[in-house]
Amino acid sequence: MTEDADQYQTHRIAAEVRPAGSLEVLNPFNLHPIATVDTVDLEGVEQALAVADACYRQRDGWLPDFERMAILRRAAELMATRIEELALLIAREGGKPLVDARVEAERAVDGLRCCAELPRHSGGREVPMQATAAGAGRWAFSTHEPIGPVVAISAFNHPLNLIVHQVAPAIAAGCPVIIKPAEDTPLSCLRFIDLLREAGLPSAWAQALVTDSPATAEALATDPRVAFLSFIGSARVGWHLRSRLAAGARCALEHGGAAPVLVDRGVDLQQVVPLLAKGGLYHAGQVCVSVQRVYAHQDQALSLAQALAEAAAGMQVDDPNLAETAIGPLIRPAEVKRVDQWVREAVGQGATLLCGGEPLSRTCYAPTVLFDPPMTAKVSTQELFGPVICVYPYLEVDAAIEAANALPFAFQASVFTRELAYARHAASRLAASAVMINDHTAFRTDWMPFAGLRQSGLGTGGMPYTFEDMRIEKLVVWRAD
């Protein structure tokens, strides 16, 4: 292990559990080891589930709203004093450039503050009983309870903020939660669990672990004691886990997409290009709603693509810990090889390569712009998850919309135009859960709805929506003679 490596990291299970093995965490830029984290097997999973289940079953031990709110507020205050420390950790384990890692850490603080306020605005409602003779003499109202133990399985690309999105709403709702972070980026998660405990959360209410195999992770997610599964990751794994959930378990799945952008004729390229470059190349394109497919009117499609290429070529690819770095590494060398294969396939089938198109190292890929790749190429039909933007010319906007909607994914889309009629037409016809007007597809605030449609996911993310998913509305009907 290198000199700058963190100390050995144990699991965060609130019980005595013997580790099954260990996992070496690598810096994705230079592949140097930065920490060793222990893993757990089925025995460890059983212990974590038993703790969470006992918390939920012992109703007298449920934490009241005001206490959970206070814990989340204290956690936010603690996190706000450690932005730089957390940003460095995000950059080290996930490869996100430091300037963007700071933004992620600040968003995580804001997310905690948002969740701390959710119970304050979550009252029940009266159900009218006097509307029918059968209901006469009765009074009915609803209240809320936590749904039960939550299991959250997370992804690598936002190793702190995604964890906050899954864990903080569970705490706000009063659910015991077990989080399994991505194997590539477990350190931010473990640090966050420690921070929650420092803020006063009893250890049994939020546990974290890394499993020794996919089979063990599946056993965790599909155990009958799990009331809710929050999954962020690949569609293949997410849909499989959904099919294996215990009867009655609910879930939310967040997968990826191939985000489309429509660009009207006559837009100011100087305003559009920086937004598209950031939206497509941010975090080396490893974002589920990264700009991937740009449909531009043929009058300026090539000019737009060339301007994008110029912008991309000027973005520095380097160590994410350097202040001037705009684009860092892909999470694993295998991803560099995959992206390169897809780009070479597209060029071989007729796409014009305007910039990039080659690995810069085992871990970094040059930001790439392709003009008019075939609609059948992988870059046109599958989620790229790499620093590549494709530009396609169109003559009629409805043909571009048809192409944008042709894939089995639907997440966020965007439209650039100066015409209200064009914006309304496109927004009403794009297959997407959210359409940004004159902004890139990766825009998000953490309290807005965030939902993958079709193969892109199930349910609605965003702090208030996840909070509601993790609660049960219970009706009380009072007969008053």
Side-chain angles (χ1 to χ4, degrees):
M1 182 171 291
T2 60
E3 292 182 359
D4 66 338
D6 292 342
Q7 293 182 349
Y8 187 92
Q9 295 286 313
T10 63
H11 59 72
R12 301 303 194 268
I13 299 174
E16 291 293 331
V17 174
R18 177 184 55 82
S22 62
L23 171 73
E24 195 171 53
V25 182
L26 304 180
N27 180 319
F29 177 72
N30 55 29
L31 302 180
H32 291 168
I34 58 175
T36 300
V37 177
D38 62 22
T39 60
V40 301
D41 54 17
L42 290 173
E43 179 183 350
V45 163
E46 169 58 32
Q47 289 292 320
L49 285 166
V51 166
D53 186 56
C55 279
Y56 183 68
R57 290 183 179 277
Q58 184 55 44
R59 293 191 171 221
D60 289 341
W62 286 5
L63 302 175
D65 286 359
F66 69 85
E67 189 171 336
R68 301 195 310 274
M69 294 166 67
I71 289 168
L72 289 169
R73 283 195 294 266
R74 287 195 296 269
E77 292 167 3
L78 288 169
M79 186 179 286
T81 67
R82 302 171 189 178
I83 294 295
E84 194 65 16
E85 170 194 337
L86 291 166
L88 286 167
L89 186 57
I90 292 166
R92 287 180 70 204
E93 70 170 340
K96 180 176 289 186
L98 193 55
V99 62
D100 297 319
R102 291 190 182 104
V103 173
E104 178 176 342
E106 289 165 356
R107 282 180 61 186
V109 172
D110 203 35
L112 285 171
R113 289 172 176 157
C114 175
C115 287
E117 293 304 310
L118 291 175
R120 189 187 301 277
H121 307 287
S122 65
R125 57 192 176 92
E126 182 183 357
V127 179
M129 290 288 105
Q130 309 309 312
T132 175
R138 290 170 175 82
W139 176 41
F141 60 91
S142 65
T143 184
H144 292 92
E145 293 182 354
I147 192 172
V150 170
V151 164
I153 297 178
S154 205
F156 76 86
N157 51 338
H158 307 291
L160 177 63
N161 201 41
L162 290 183
I163 302 294
V164 170
H165 267 265
Q166 295 171 288
V167 172
I171 295 168
C175 296
V177 57
I178 303 169
I179 178 79
K180 189 197 87 66
E183 292 183 0
D184 294 297
T185 55
L187 304 180
S188 296
C189 172
L190 298 178
R191 193 72 56 88
F192 175 55
I193 297 299
D194 291 343
L195 188 148
L196 287 172
R197 293 175 178 179
E198 185 180 347
L201 183 70
S203 59
W205 286 90
Q207 304 176 87
L209 54 83
V210 177
T211 56
D212 62 349
S213 69
T216 302
E218 180 172 330
L220 169 67
T222 60
D223 188 273
R225 289 165 288 189
V226 176
F228 191 89
L229 171 66
S230 171
F231 176 86
I232 303 175
S234 76
R236 178 184 62 81
V237 176
W239 293 117
H240 170 74
L241 289 178
R242 183 202 179 208
S243 73
R244 300 295 304 277
L245 290 181
R250 303 179 189 178
C251 69
L253 310 177
E254 185 182 309
H255 304 144
V261 178
L262 297 183
V263 181
D264 193 10
R265 70 168 80 189
V267 298
D268 185 348
L269 297 186
Q270 290 185 338
Q271 294 181 352
V272 172
V273 167
L275 290 168
L276 293 182
K278 181 66 176 180
L281 303 175
Y282 157 69
H283 198 13
Q286 298 171 115
V287 179
C288 60
V289 286
S290 286
V291 170
Q292 179 171 332
R293 299 175 294 148
V294 179
Y295 299 92
H297 192 274
Q298 65 180 18
D299 287 354
Q300 60 183 146
L302 183 56
S303 298
L304 171 63
Q306 290 170 335
L308 263 177
E310 183 178 353
M315 298 174 76
Q316 181 166 325
V317 183
D318 209 333
D319 186 336
N321 286 300
L322 300 177
E324 60 272 19
T325 296
I327 300 174
L330 293 171
I331 192 64
R332 291 180 293 273
E335 292 301 294
V336 176
K337 294 179 181 178
R338 177 190 60 80
V339 170
D340 189 49
Q341 289 171 354
W342 288 18
V343 169
R344 291 179 182 275
E345 175 200 69
V347 173
Q349 294 178 0
T352 300
L353 178 66
L354 297 180
C355 73
E358 61 180 357
L360 299 178
S361 67
R362 287 184 63 198
T363 60
C364 294
Y365 198 78
T368 299
V369 176
L370 296 172
F371 183 70
D372 203 16
M375 292 298 181
T376 56
K378 290 186 179 68
V379 298
S380 301
T381 58
Q382 299 184 37
E383 183 182 27
L384 262 164
F385 229 61
V388 182
I389 301 174
C390 302
V391 180
Y392 309 82
Y394 72 84
L395 180 59
E396 299 293 338
V397 66
D398 284 338
I401 293 172
E402 182 179 358
N405 292 345
L407 302 186
F409 317 109
F411 215 142
Q412 298 197 162
S414 71
V415 177
F416 286 86
T417 182
R418 297 186 298 179
E419 302 295 331
L420 177 60
Y422 183 101
R424 290 184 62 183
H425 180 84
S428 66
R429 286 163 173 76
L430 281 167
S433 60
V435 179
M436 311 300 158
I437 307 298
N438 294 326
D439 207 344
H440 61 68
T441 59
F443 173 79
R444 181 186 186 185
T445 62
D446 295 313
W447 51 88
M448 73 186 227
F450 191 69
L453 308 177
R454 299 178 179 173
Q455 292 184 19
S456 291
L458 179 70
T460 302
M463 302 294 190
Y465 305 91
T466 301
F467 171 76
E468 290 298 338
D469 276 350
M470 293 179 176
R471 301 195 307 161
I472 299 167
E473 187 174 28
K474 176 184 282 188
L475 184 68
V476 178
V477 182
W478 193 327
R479 179 178 175 181
D481 289 328

